[in-house]
Each structure stands twice: as structure tokens, then as C-alpha cells.
């Protein structure tokens, strides 16, 4: 069996015990490449890999894989997001073969935002499989060389198996409910085969630290690399809105107060983000940070630098 | 039961086009219980059509015991044959059976068929079953994850649950997996949440075209 698995640079960094830094790169809503080019310039050298969203917020954009190939050619290692919302198991596996063929090695398996929240609320959603089933499917493709149906990944009865070998990621949201089940959900993903995790944006460090303590108490941090998600806030108003409206986001009052009192809320938001990264670096079980600077990728280099994480280590292909 | 609601009268009038003699056919089963297609609703719709000034020459209302059952349709043959259009106030199954039975006649739907659900209180019906053909209620504490979770997840709640509500409609929609979690907790069966449920076998659902149940033991 041939598995198309040369370890990704990201996986190698985790193995070396480096504190990994990734950032989100949202593809644009048109085929104008200048938007991606600008983000690549902002992020190259500032982070180890970029996470390419898959029709983020259920809004049509350039595909994650298409953008990933573009970004890879521009010299940044991509992490491809794959949601369960838009494709059934055939579509997902076909796209994964295509991604692997084009040298993409990191995959983030997620359920995806519900289509009613995006720009095609009348679309038919798929959700043929869920994120945990997706993780298991990708693991079986790699480990057993089989498609979800059990058939070998090869071109004929006597041909060799040529399976895609992704470094398998997943998401975790320590703040969604029921809260007491959130560590179990992570454990379920680990049991399904997930190898690294990127979490939802964390603002409530105290609550996240409690979640991490439970994670480490159960030894899960030894089985999966956990990158904590951080996202710089731009204003007190935005923070209040996110806190109230976005499920799974909890922003403590003291954060909102700091933004409100600041002369320059944006600068204060960056400062908070840097402090958070420094706290996360001290937390047992946290293997890296994932910076989600939605349409504010130009802020990322300053954040990474402020946290003392520049220069980034050499990436091995 | 099957829950349906009436289409807006304007839409029904547009559908009727130039038809002059209309037979409105109600159904005395599910749609009577959910107050959308029983005898009372047939009468109300007939009145609305008469008042519409569209120049109908004959508006008749009849309600059969079950519109999805041929044996009850013969009763309305005379009225049907004296009409240009049959306007069905049953679910889609009833409407299609009516169309089958009175082959060659125009049969139109006056209702939108919505779901299989339960009566939760006065004027409140809730979807409970998707008819997916592969019931998992024994695993999930009697709450269907396919229907009660907006994403139909099989392995626990996504990240969009807040205060027990689903982010798709936090005002009205319970997070199905939050309900399942608490039910299983009450039952002392939370370990079931940790079992990885494999991808569903959708071939038992609608994906293979209309499904059939044939009971040879009772076939004549």
C-alpha cells in the first residue's frame, strides 16, 4: 500500500515540540487573486501554516482546496478545511483525492456552519456525514487504504493502493453547550483519529484554562496537538455583539471594559490578543495558537512578534 | 401525524386559473387534527373562493375519511365528475391518490405538506420524524438527532449550541443534542454519547426513490 504521506511541515513542527503558530486565511468572494496575494504577503514568514476556510459562514467563496493550491504555490503551507455541509461522502472523498494529488497534506475536518446563516439560506444542506465520521473516514483512507464504502483506493483489482495521507485536524469549542460534555466531544474526536485541534476563539482564559485542565487530566493533550484559537478584537461594540450573538463565543466583561476605555480600541485589541497568547504559551497542553484575524490578516505579524514568537522556525517540506 | 398548512388563498386562486366548477376535497385524518384540511377548513376555503369574485359557477366541498385510501374516494365520484378541478385539502399523499383515482382530471394542492409531527399544545405542532427508514431512537434516548438537530448530526452537538438553543433560530429552536444529552444523563446512559455512530445508511431513506412496504402475509 502506498500512502501519499510525506509528513507535513506542520506535523514535523509539532513533533519537534515547537510552539506552532497558524492563522486563518479566508478566501475571497471573487476570483480576483489580489485579495489572496495581499493575505499571503501579510502572513508569509509570520506563521507556520495557514488555515483556508471552506465556504466560511456558509458564504460562497473560492474553494478551500483551490485557494490552498494557490497559497502553496506562493510558498505558505496550507491547512485545508473540509466541511460536511456542502458535499456528501462521494464529493468529500473525490475532493480529498484532488487535494492530495496537488500536494496538500493538512486537513481540518469540521461540520460547517448551517447554510441558513449564510448567503444561500434556501440551499439544500448535505450533512451526509458529521465531523467525527469525517475524521474516521479520512483516517481509514490513510490507515486502511479504503474509501468509506470499504473499497480499496486503487484503479483496478491488481493495482496498488494509492491512498491520500493527510495530517488530520479537527475543531473544538470549549464554550459551547452542554459545557460539561465538551471534553468528551474532544475525546470522541481523538478516538475517531484526530491528530491536531484548532479551537474556537478564546477570550475567557479562566474558563479555557479549566477546560484544558480537564483535557490534560485525561491525558488527551498527549494524544492530540491542541492549538488555541485567538482573535483580535477591534472595538467594544464588536465584542459585545459577538458575546451576545455568536454561539460558542464568550467575551468576559473585563475585556470589553478595556476596549471601551482605550483611546485606540484597535491597538488595545491587539494588546489583549498578545497577552492571551502569552498566557496560552504557559498553559500545560497547549501546543500552539491559531490566529483568527477575520479580514485583518495584516495584524497577524505584529501579534506574533508582540508575543515573542518571531522569527518562525525553518519549515521542512 | 402528518402536519400541513393551507397555501395562501391568493396562490390557490392563481392556481385555479380559468376553472369554473371546483370541488374542494378535504381529508378527515391528519389534516383534520392539525386544523388545515378537515371539513371545517373545506367550508372556510369554499366560502373564500365564492367571495373571490373570480366568477366560479360551482364551488362544492366534500370531505373523505382518508384521501390517501382509494376505498373512500368512490363516494365523491359524482361531485368530481361535475367539476373542472379537484382542489385537494389533504397532504401530498392524499392529493396524489386523488389524482391517481380521478385520472384525467385536474387535481391541485391547496395545502403545503410540512412534516410528521406531534401536537405540542393549542396551535403548536412540532416535527418529530423524518421517515429516514433507520430509526436510532433507542440510542439517543427517544429524541431523534436527524430531525431535532438542524444539521442532523449523529455524534453529539456542534459548536452552535447556546443556552440550550440552536444558533439557527435561538429564539425558538431547542438544540436537539442538548436535549439528548440531558435525557441520557437522566437515564444514566451518558456513555452512549461516546459511541462513535457510523455514517448513516441513506439507502433506507428516500434516496432510492419512493419506498414500498409490502406485507405478503396480508396480501390478497
Amino acid at each position: 500500500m502506498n500512502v501519499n504521506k510525506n509528513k507535513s511541515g506542520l506535523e514535523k513542527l509539532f513533533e519537534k515540540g515547537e510552539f506552532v503558530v497558524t492563522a486563518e486565511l479566508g478566501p475571497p468572494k471573487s476570483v480576483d487573486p489580489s485579495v489572496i496575494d495581499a493575505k499571503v504577503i501579510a502572513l508569509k514568514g509570520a506563521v507556520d501554516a495557514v488555515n483556508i476556510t471552506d465556504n466560511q459562514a456558509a458564504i460562497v467563496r473560492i474553494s478551500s482546496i483551490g485557494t490552498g493550491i494557490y497559497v502553496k504555490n506562493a510558498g505558505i503551507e496550507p491547512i485545508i478545511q473540509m466541511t460536511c455541509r456542502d458535499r456528501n461522502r462521494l464529493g468529500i472523498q473525490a475532493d480529498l483525492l484532488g487535494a492530495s494529488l496537488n500536494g496538500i497534506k493538512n486537513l481540518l475536518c469540521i461540520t460547517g456552519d448551517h447554510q441558513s446563516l449564510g448567503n444561500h439560506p434556501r440551499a439544500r444542506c448535505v450533512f451526509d456525514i458529521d465531523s467525527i465520521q469525517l475524521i474516521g473516514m479520512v483516517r481509514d483512507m490513510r490507515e486502511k487504504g479504503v474509501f468509506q464504502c470499504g473499497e480499496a483506493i486503487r484503479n483496478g483489482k491488481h493495482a496498488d493502493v494509492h491512498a491520500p495521507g493527510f495530517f488530520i485536524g479537527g475543531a473544538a469549542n470549549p464554550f459551547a453547550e452542554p459545557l460539561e460534555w465538551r471534553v468528551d466531544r474532544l475525546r470522541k474526536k481523538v478516538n475517531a483519529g484526530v491528530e491536531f485541534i484548532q479551537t474556537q476563539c478564546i477570550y475567557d482564559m479562566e474558563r479555557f484554562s479549566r477546560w484544558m485542565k480537564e483535557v490534560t487530566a485525561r491525558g488527551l493533550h498527549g494524544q492530540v496537538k491542541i492549538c488555541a484559537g485567538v482573535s483580535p478584537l477591534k472595538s467594544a461594540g464588536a465584542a459585545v455583539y459577538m458575546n451576545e450573538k455568536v454561539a460558542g463565543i464568550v467575551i468576559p466583561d473585563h475585556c470589553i471594559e478595556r476596549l471601551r476605555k482605550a483611546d485606540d480600541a484597535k491597538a488595545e485589541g491587539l494588546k489583549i490578543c498578545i497577552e492571551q497568547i502569552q498566557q496560552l504559551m504557559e498553559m500545560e497542553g497547549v501546543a500552539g495558537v491559531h490566529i483568527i484575524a477575520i479580514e485583518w490578516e495584516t495584524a497577524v505579524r505584529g501579534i506574533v512578534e508582540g508575543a515573542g514568537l518571531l522569527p518562525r522556525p525553518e519549515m521542512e517540506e | 401525524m402528518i402536519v400541513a398548512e393551507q397555501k395562501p388563498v391568493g396562490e390557490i386562486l392563481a392556481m385555479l386559473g380559468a376553472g369554473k366548477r371546483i370541488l374542494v376535497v378535504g381529508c378527515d385524518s391528519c389534516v383534520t387534527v392539525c386544523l388545515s384540511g378537515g371539513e371545517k377548513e373545506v367550508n372556510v376555503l369554499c366560502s373564500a373562493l365564492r367571495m373571490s369574485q373570480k366568477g366560479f359557477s360551482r364551488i362544492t366541498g366534500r370531505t373523505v375519511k382518508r384521501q390517501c385510501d382509494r376505498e373512500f374516494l368512490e363516494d365523491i365520484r359524482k361531485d368530481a365528475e361535475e367539476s373542472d378541478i379537484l382542489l385537494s385539502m389533504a397532504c401530498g399523499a392524499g392529493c396524489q391518490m386523488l389524482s391517481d383515482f380521478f385520472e384525467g382530471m385536474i387535481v391541485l394542492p391547496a395545502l403545503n405538506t410540512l412534516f410528521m409531527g406531534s401536537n405540542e399544545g393549542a396551535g403548536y405542532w412540532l416535527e418529530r420524524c423524518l421517515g429516514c427508514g433507520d430509526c436510532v431512537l433507542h440510542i439517543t434516548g427517544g429524541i431523534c438527532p436527524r430531525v431535532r438537530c438542524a444539521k442532523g448530526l449523529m455524534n453529539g452537538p456542534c459548536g452552535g449550541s447556546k443556552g440550550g438553543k440552536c444558533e439557527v433560530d435561538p429564539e425558538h429552536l431547542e438544540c436537539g443534542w442538548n436535549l439528548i444529552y440531558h435525557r441520557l444523563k437522566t437515564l444514566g446512559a451518558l456513555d452512549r454519547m461516546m459511541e462513535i455512530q457510523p455514517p448513516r445508511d441513506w439507502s433506507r431513506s428516500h434516496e432510492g426513490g419512493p419506498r414500498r412496504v409490502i406485507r405478503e402475509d396480508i396480501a390478497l
Side-chain angles (χ1 to χ4, degrees):
Chain A
M1 181 169 122
N2 304 294
V3 176
N4 188 9
K5 174 127 204 271
N6 300 314
K7 283 182 179 173
S8 73
L10 182 69
E11 187 173 3
K12 287 179 192 162
L13 284 187
F14 277 127
E15 280 178 358
K16 280 189 202 158
E18 293 280 357
F19 191 81
V20 162
V21 180
T22 59
E24 192 162 288
L25 190 155
K29 275 175 70 186
S30 80
V31 286
D32 175 2
S34 66
V35 179
I36 311 178
D37 293 340
K39 291 184 181 188
V40 166
I41 289 167
L43 297 172
K44 199 170 176 176
V47 299
D48 304 316
V50 291
N51 182 320
I52 321 272
T53 51
D54 179 19
N55 284 345
Q56 181 186 352
I59 290 167
V60 178
R61 299 160 192 277
I62 299 178
S63 71
S64 179
I65 292 168
T67 310
I69 294 166
Y70 187 89
V71 160
K72 183 174 161 286
N73 290 338
I76 308 189
E77 182 161 303
I79 303 165
I80 294 304
Q81 284 193 8
M82 175 62 74
T83 70
C84 301
R85 178 194 53 233
D86 305 329
R87 311 162 183 78
N88 69 3
R89 59 194 89 173
L90 274 86
I92 291 176
Q93 291 178 105
D95 279 350
L96 292 181
L97 295 185
S100 183
L101 177 73
N102 282 284
I104 287 169
K105 296 171 183 170
N106 305 304
L107 176 72
L108 194 83
C109 302
I110 52 178
T111 302
D113 293 317
H114 195 270
Q115 79 285 354
S116 65
L117 306 173
N119 67 350
H120 289 76
R122 293 182 173 192
R124 183 173 192 184
C125 64
V126 183
F127 298 117
D128 175 32
I129 56 174
D130 60 36
S131 59
I132 288 172
Q133 293 162 348
L134 172 57
I135 289 164
M137 183 174 86
V138 177
R139 179 196 54 190
D140 287 350
M141 289 172 89
R142 188 182 79 198
E143 304 297 323
K144 298 181 185 167
V146 293
F147 289 115
Q148 192 275 328
C149 62
E151 222 170 82
I153 304 176
R154 61 181 175 191
N155 285 323
K157 232 176 180 179
H158 305 291
D160 283 347
V161 167
H162 283 273
F166 290 104
F167 183 40
I168 307 170
N173 185 348
F175 307 111
E177 292 172 8
L179 273 179
E180 62 215 83
W181 198 67
R182 286 293 146 181
V183 178
D184 284 321
R185 181 150 171 90
L186 174 66
R187 185 155 61 100
K188 206 166 173 178
K189 287 190 176 179
V190 170
N191 292 345
V194 85
E195 296 164 300
F196 72 98
I197 286 285
Q198 294 179 316
T199 78
Q200 172 66 287
C201 308
I202 298 153
Y203 298 102
D204 188 340
M205 283 295 148
E206 199 265 326
R207 207 151 122 180
F208 178 69
S209 143
R210 264 188 283 151
W211 184 80
M212 269 317 294
K213 277 202 181 104
E214 231 185 290
V215 168
T216 50
R218 297 198 208 176
L220 290 174
H221 64 307
Q223 295 172 265
V224 62
K225 299 294 180 189
I226 297 170
C227 288
V230 292
S231 183
L233 292 163
K234 279 182 174 169
S235 71
V240 168
Y241 176 84
M242 283 170 70
N243 192 36
E244 283 174 8
K245 301 282 181 200
V246 184
I249 299 257
V250 179
I251 305 181
D253 290 342
H254 62 83
C255 264
I256 298 172
E257 264 318 287
R258 271 181 68 176
L259 292 167
R260 191 169 281 142
K261 284 182 182 157
D263 295 329
D264 182 347
K266 273 188 171 182
E268 193 66 22
L270 294 175
K271 215 171 136 193
I272 293 171
C273 191
I274 290 165
E275 288 170 19
Q276 284 171 335
I277 294 175
Q278 286 165 338
Q279 282 174 275
L280 289 164
M281 288 168 72
E282 300 299 315
M283 222 176 265
E284 192 194 355
V286 177
V289 283
H290 174 52
I291 305 169
I292 307 161
I294 306 155
E295 297 309 312
W296 198 17
E297 283 85 353
T298 48
V300 171
R301 195 179 302 271
I303 293 170
V304 180
E305 188 170 26
L309 288 166
L310 279 186
R312 298 307 307 148
E314 228 16 66
M315 280 290 270
E316 285 177 45
E317 259 298 308
Chain B
M1 70 174 151
I2 294 169
V3 179
E5 64 182 3
Q6 195 192 301
K7 287 176 182 283
V9 174
E11 217 177 281
I12 294 171
L13 286 170
M15 208 188 284
L16 291 171
K20 292 288 172 209
R21 300 174 303 161
I22 315 295
L23 174 64
V24 181
V25 188
C27 179
D28 204 14
S29 297
C30 311
V31 292
T32 295
V33 183
C34 70
L35 308 176
S36 55
E39 196 173 345
K40 186 172 151 241
E41 293 74 30
V42 166
N43 291 336
V44 173
L45 183 60
C46 284
S47 303
L49 296 181
R50 284 186 198 107
M51 288 187 296
S52 70
Q53 300 176 337
K54 263 202 87 172
F56 296 115
S57 62
R58 179 189 147 113
I59 303 283
T60 315
R62 291 290 302 273
T63 300
V64 297
K65 180 136 181 92
R66 275 198 303 278
Q67 212 174 108
C68 58
D69 215 331
R70 285 176 201 277
E71 88 175 80
F72 301 107
L73 300 182
E74 193 54 46
D75 286 356
I76 59 168
R77 182 175 291 282
K78 189 169 171 294
D79 285 316
E81 284 172 353
E82 287 169 5
S83 307
D84 306 319
I85 292 175
L86 308 187
L87 185 57
S88 167
M89 290 194 85
C91 71
C95 183
Q96 289 185 59
M97 180 53 92
L98 198 62
S99 179
D100 246 25
F101 193 85
F102 294 109
E103 205 185 337
M105 290 204 68
I106 299 170
V107 177
L108 303 173
L111 304 188
N112 288 322
T113 307
L114 299 174
F115 52 76
M116 282 181 274
S118 55
N119 193 343
E120 299 293 306
Y124 174 20
W125 292 272
L126 178 69
E127 181 166 20
R128 294 264 186 184
C129 180
L130 200 65
C132 70
D134 192 15
C135 195
V136 294
L137 290 172
H138 57 297
I139 301 169
T140 54
I143 297 165
C144 176
R146 275 285 161 202
V147 164
R148 303 298 290 278
C149 166
K151 296 177 184 171
L153 304 182
M154 287 299 294
N155 280 293
C158 73
S161 177
K162 194 173 188 179
K165 301 291 185 181
C166 171
E167 66 178 329
V168 167
D169 182 1
E171 215 178 307
H172 304 105
L173 212 56
E174 301 264 16
C175 165
W177 272 104
N178 194 57
L179 296 175
I180 293 170
Y181 176 82
H182 288 291
R183 175 74 53 83
L184 290 178
K185 198 175 175 185
T186 309
L187 297 173
L190 270 183
D191 52 326
R192 266 189 227 156
M193 293 272 291
M194 287 311 294
E195 291 165 16
I196 296 179
Q197 301 302 330
R200 287 292 306 272
D201 175 1
W202 286 107
S203 70
R204 301 182 62 83
S205 183
H206 172 68
E207 315 312 289
R211 289 166 279 177
R212 299 166 304 283
V213 171
I214 299 169
R215 287 273 304 268
E216 307 246 344
D217 54 328
I218 56 163
L220 292 174

